């Protein structure tokens, strides 16, 4: 992907050279971009909305500063968020005639300093080996946790350790300062965290947070080292500043020293990594903490049509910068549609993709974004059956550890049950052997992914059983093999399938955003105001990935954010061609569903079973929507096979008919 300049010419193709006049570097920039590029001295904060050309501004500003004599090229440091962005920035600077300008991530620049100074401070010894991943070290420690805590996902434990370390909270202070950030009780986590640190020390290794922390400690304690670092790079610019964490901020303070030539660039509306310790506070308070700082807001968007931006601006209304302003001509109106079922929604996505293919939109210029990875396999299956090529960006579903474990477990199992009874038997096996608990509300992002992944396996089995009561274990394994083969057969081209988090920084001609529902986006674990705000920012990121075509949809209870996109979620202000009907809120959002959920909880307690074995949430919602009045009608509900009808049918009908009578 190449970001285009306002004139439509890719910035990386600039023909500027070191002999060109500085003014050439400002040509083609809009008024705000030019203002930012000309501000080459003193503190500067650039609020850069999505698609406003921030990378172009960063590179042209640095080149302009060098060519106007403000700073020597070898004194410039451009800090990026990823290695990929650093490589791209080096290329941009070379194209602008400044190959000596350095672009690095926080970690890469810190490691360079650590390797340089470490031997002198440690009797000539080389720096410790860097652990590429915390997971192999944490895994054995997690396996020794007591009781059900041994099922805690290692990735969530690693995230909590990372969160602590970027705040410089050691294990012994976790109980007092960590709060409930860990997925296990504070005392257990403090012990695991301590053991992890001891294990690294015993093996002479450090992790990525140590890399930053040790550099901070070095520069804080060795004045000569700090002075040398501050003399080498005197003009610093930091991209994606909204994702900076406290440890990186402290390192930046030590790098800049007394220099006031610090520019930060970011968009508070794209802060979506707070679970790793990032915070937009440093961006939002930059002008306060850096006296004399100037603020420039980039609001002219060169990516999306006015219709797409109209929706995006509604989500950021009242934010720290003005709304995004379109520069492109009008395009098709985004669609916001309620579908009657998940199958209907998948069919609508497939139909929409086919329509765009017929119009000449390349499949690689389309994307389907979801909140969590476990939502992707149904999309994959629908596209595979339709003969539409796709690629999964990120880890494939069938490569996930819990899916491999589940398939291995099932391959060794001896189960003679068929149909719905098999579904219950497999669910019980997952509970006993994999710690599966869909009712659990704790844990982190990885725990949610793990639970949703195992639930999807059960849903696949339930679908097979509903279609054929004779479905056996071999049929399930064969279906999983088929889907795995279809997923692995992708060639890296075709329609892009990925999560909102992975989509940040990318863009496509067409974007589909399905399942915009309560409990999905915002995810049901988002219970605080701050958590819900981050979910809103995720949707903003999703919307602003689209250049021209944008399709939003849901099937159950609509996401609260849809109400922000138009009157009562209808998107009428966007004159959508297929609006969500103002009254199209499923009846499941009412007393029937609440009574069904209460009954399920009580029945599960009485029978000693997990609640989902009685009935999945999707089944209860479907019942609440359909209001069946007989066993025959109840039998048509997905998930209500013969066994469940015999065991629970009378209870369910009594609840539904009672609610109906009260109306």
């Amino acid at each position: 992907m190449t970001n285009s300049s306002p004139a439509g010419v890719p910035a990386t193709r600039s023909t500027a050279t070191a002999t060109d006049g500085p003014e050439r570097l400002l040509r083609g920039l809009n008024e705000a971009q030019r203002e930012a590029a000309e501000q080459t001295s003193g503190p500067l904060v650039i609020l850069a909305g999505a698609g406003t050309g921030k990378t172009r501004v960063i590179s042209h500003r640095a080149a302009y500063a060098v060519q106007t004599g403000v700073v020597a090229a070898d004194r410039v440091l451009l800090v990026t968020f990823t290695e990929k962005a650093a490589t791209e920035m080096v290329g941009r600077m070379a194209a602008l005639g400044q190959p000596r300008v350095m672009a690095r991530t926080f970690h890469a620049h810190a490691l360079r300093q650590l390797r340089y100074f470490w031997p002198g401070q440690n009797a000539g010894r080389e720096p410790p080996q860097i652990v590429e991943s915390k997971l192999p070290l944490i895994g054995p420690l997690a396996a020794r946790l007591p009781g059900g805590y041994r099922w805690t996902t290692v990735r969530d434990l690693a995230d909590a350790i990372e969160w602590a370390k970027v705040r410089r909270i050691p294990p012994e202070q976790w109980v007092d300062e960590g709060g409930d950030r860990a997925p296990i009780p504070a005392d257990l986590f403090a012990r695991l965290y301590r053991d992890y640190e001891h294990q690294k020390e015993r093996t002479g290794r450090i992790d990525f947070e140590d890399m930053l922390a040790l550099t901070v400690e070095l520069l804080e304690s060795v004045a000569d080292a700090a002075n040398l670092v501050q003399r080498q790079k005197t003009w610093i610019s930091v991209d994606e500043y909204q994702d900076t964490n406290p440890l990186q901020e402290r390192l930046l303070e030590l790098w800049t020293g007394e220099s006031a030539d610090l520019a930060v660039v970011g968009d508070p509306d794209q802060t979506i990594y707070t679970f790793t310790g990032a915070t937009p506070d440093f961006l939002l308070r930059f002008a306060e903490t850096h006296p004399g700082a100037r603020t420039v807001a980039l609001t002219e968007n060169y990516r999306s049509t006015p219709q797409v931006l109209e929706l995006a601006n509604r989500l950021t209304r009242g934010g720290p910068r003005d709304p995004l302003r379109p520069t492109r001509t009008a395009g098709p109106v985004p669609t916001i549609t309620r579908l009657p079922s998940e199958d209907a929604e998948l069919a609508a996505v497939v139909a929409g993709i086919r329509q765009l293919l017929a119009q000449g939109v390349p499949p690689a210029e389309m994307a389907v974004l979801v909140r969590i990875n476990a939502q992707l396999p149904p999309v994959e299956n629908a596209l595979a059956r339709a003969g539409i090529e796709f690629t999964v960006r990120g880890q494939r579903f069938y490569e996930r550890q819990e899916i491999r474990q589940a398939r291995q477990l099932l391959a060794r199992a001896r189960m003679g049950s068929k149909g719905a009874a098999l579904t219950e038997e497999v669910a019980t096996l997952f509970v006993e052997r994999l710690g599966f608990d869909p009712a659990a509300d704790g844990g982190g992002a990885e725990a949610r992914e793990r639970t949703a992944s195992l639930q999807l396996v059960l849903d696949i089995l339930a679908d097979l059983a509903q279609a054929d009561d004779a479905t056996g274990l071999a049929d399930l394994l064969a279906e999983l093999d088929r889907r795995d083969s279809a997923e692995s057969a992708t060639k890296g081209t075709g329609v892009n399938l990925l999560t909102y988090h992975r989509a940040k920084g990318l863009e496509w001609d067409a974007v589909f955003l399905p399942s915009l529902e309560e409990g999905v986006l915002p995810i049901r674990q988002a219970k605080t105001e701050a958590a819900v705000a981050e979910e809103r920012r995720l949707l903003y990121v999703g919307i602003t990935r689209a250049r021209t075509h944008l399709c939003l949809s849901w099937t159950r209870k609509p996401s609260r954010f849809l109400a922000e996109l138009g009157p009562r979620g209808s998107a009428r202000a966007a004159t959508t061609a297929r609006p969500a009907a103002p009254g199209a809120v499923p009846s499941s959002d009412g007393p029937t569903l609440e009574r069904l959920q209460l009954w399920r909880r009580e029945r599960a307690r009485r029978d000693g079973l997990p609640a989902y074995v009685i009935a999945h949430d999707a089944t209860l919602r479907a019942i609440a929507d359909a209001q069946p009045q007989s066993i025959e009608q109840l039998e048509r509900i997905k998930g209500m096979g013969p066994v469940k009808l015999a065991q629970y049918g009378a209870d369910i009908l009594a609840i539904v008919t009672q609610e109906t009578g009260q109306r």
Side-chain angles (χ1 to χ4, degrees), residues 45 47 55 67 73 154 163 197 211-212 246 324 369 389 413-414 418 422 424 429 463 479 514 534 620:
V45 55
L47 298 177
T55 307
Q67 287 204 245
V154 177
W163 186 91
E197 292 294 302
M211 192 190 306
L212 301 185
L324 296 175
L369 308 186
E389 190 175 353
R414 297 290 183 267
K418 302 290 184 181
L422 177 63
E424 296 180 12
L429 183 67
D463 288 343
E479 177 66 10
E534 182 147 350
L620 295 187

Side-chain angles (χ1 to χ4, degrees), residues 22 25-26 37-41 58-73 76 93 98 235:
L25 295 165
L26 304 180
E38 289 181 316
Q39 183 68 23
T40 55
S41 297
I58 293 169
S59 56
H60 281 246
R61 177 177 179 270
Y64 185 73
V66 173
Q67 287 204 245
T68 53
V70 172
V71 62
V76 175
M93 296 311 303
Q98 302 299 335
W235 197 94

Side-chain angles (χ1 to χ4, degrees), residues 142-397:
R144 296 200 294 267
L145 288 170
Y149 296 123
R150 71 183 186 278
W151 301 115
T152 306
T153 56
V154 177
R155 178 69 264 173
D156 286 334
L157 292 169
D159 286 346
I161 289 176
E162 181 177 335
W163 186 91
K165 297 187 75 165
V166 300
R167 283 165 174 74
R168 305 175 81 176
I169 301 174
E172 56 271 18
Q173 295 178 14
W174 175 264
V175 173
D176 294 329
E177 300 183 36
D180 60 354
R181 295 290 307 193
I184 58 177
D187 57 336
L188 284 181
F189 179 77
R191 186 177 69 189
L192 181 141
Y193 180 12
R194 180 198 63 208
D195 292 345
Y196 166 76
E197 292 294 302
H198 287 169
Q199 191 166 345
K200 283 197 291 94
E201 293 172 10
R202 285 195 301 270
T203 56
R205 291 182 284 179
I206 61 175
D207 58 27
F208 284 98
E209 290 71 50
D210 293 330
M211 192 190 306
L212 301 185
L214 289 172
T215 306
V216 166
E217 292 171 8
L218 171 73
L219 299 181
E220 287 178 336
S221 59
V222 183
D224 288 345
N227 290 336
L228 178 59
V229 166
Q230 291 162 7
R231 289 197 305 271
Q232 287 179 332
K233 300 299 177 185
T234 61
W235 197 94
I236 300 177
S237 176
V238 185
D239 192 13
E240 303 287 2
Y241 192 60
Q242 77 279 353
D243 293 323
T244 302
N245 63 50
L247 188 57
Q248 292 169 330
E249 176 66 10
R250 177 57 183 149
L251 190 57
L252 184 60
E253 292 172 354
L254 292 166
W255 285 347
T256 55
E258 297 299 320
S259 174
D261 292 334
L262 172 64
V264 298
V265 186
D267 182 5
D269 292 321
Q270 295 190 70
T271 305
I272 60 173
Y273 296 112
T274 60
F275 60 90
T276 66
T279 172
D281 291 348
F282 301 124
L283 175 65
L284 295 174
R285 295 173 47 236
F286 186 86
E288 299 175 18
T289 56
H290 294 76
R294 292 189 61 178
T295 299
V296 178
L298 306 182
T299 58
E300 288 191 46
N301 178 284
Y302 298 96
R303 175 187 301 162
S304 305
T305 63
Q307 287 75 13
V308 171
L309 293 184
E310 189 173 1
L311 290 189
N313 285 334
R314 290 177 189 158
L315 286 177
T316 60
R317 193 179 289 124
R321 58 163 173 74
D322 291 336
L324 296 175
R325 292 181 292 145
T327 60
R328 293 186 53 193
T329 57
V333 175
T335 61
I336 306 178
T337 312
R338 185 209 172 171
L339 283 306
S341 66
E342 287 99 338
D343 289 342
E345 185 173 39
L346 289 172
V349 170
V350 169
I353 291 172
R354 279 178 166 159
Q355 183 178 10
L356 291 173
L357 289 172
Q359 294 174 10
V361 179
E365 281 297 338
M366 292 185 248
V368 181
L369 308 186
V370 296
R371 178 61 178 83
I372 61 174
N373 276 305
Q375 294 173 259
L376 288 178
V379 182
E380 297 171 24
N381 195 44
L383 294 180
R385 291 184 182 278
I388 296 174
E389 190 175 353
F390 65 89
T391 183
V392 178
R393 304 187 66 145
Q395 185 183 35
R396 293 198 303 111
F397 177 80

Side-chain angles (χ1 to χ4, degrees), residues 1 28 68 85 120 123 167 173 175 224 282 306 347 394 406 415 436 444 462 496 511 521 525 560 563 566 581 650 661:
M1 180 189 67
T68 53
R167 283 165 174 74
Q173 295 178 14
V175 173
D224 288 345
F282 301 124
M415 295 182 180
F436 175 59
N496 298 274
V511 172
L521 189 70
Q525 288 83 2
R560 70 193 71 179

Side-chain angles (χ1 to χ4, degrees), residues 363-369 495-498 508-513:
E365 281 297 338
M366 292 185 248
V368 181
L369 308 186
V495 178
N496 298 274
L497 308 182
L498 65 166
W508 299 274
D509 283 343
V511 172
F512 294 81
L513 304 178

Side-chain angles (χ1 to χ4, degrees), residues 504-628:
K504 187 171 181 292
L506 304 176
E507 59 186 71
W508 299 274
D509 283 343
V511 172
F512 294 81
L513 304 178
S515 301
L516 293 180
E517 302 163 6
E518 286 294 306
V520 179
L521 189 70
I523 202 161
R524 68 183 177 90
Q525 288 83 2
K527 297 179 179 178
T528 66
E529 183 177 345
V532 172
E534 182 147 350
E535 296 290 299
R536 179 185 292 104
R537 293 193 293 268
L538 269 179
L539 179 55
Y540 169 80
V541 167
I543 289 174
T544 54
R545 298 312 93 192
R547 299 191 191 105
T548 306
H549 306 277
L550 179 63
C551 302
L552 295 78
S553 60
W554 83 95
T555 64
R556 297 170 183 164
K557 182 180 180 182
S559 168
R560 70 193 71 179
F561 303 138
L562 290 176
E564 300 179 29
L565 300 182
R568 299 183 65 186
S570 69
R572 190 174 62 197
T575 60
T576 178
R578 294 198 303 166
V585 179
S587 61
S588 58
D589 183 27
T592 302
L593 179 60
E594 293 177 3
R595 288 179 61 85
L596 287 169
Q597 290 172 331
L598 178 61
W599 161 80
R600 181 182 60 177
R601 185 163 59 249
E602 293 174 347
R603 184 64 186 257
R605 186 183 301 113
R606 188 177 73 193
D607 294 352
L609 295 171
Y612 67 87
V613 173
I614 307 296
H616 297 309
D617 283 341
T619 301
L620 295 187
R621 289 194 184 96
I623 293 170
D625 279 345
Q627 299 287 308

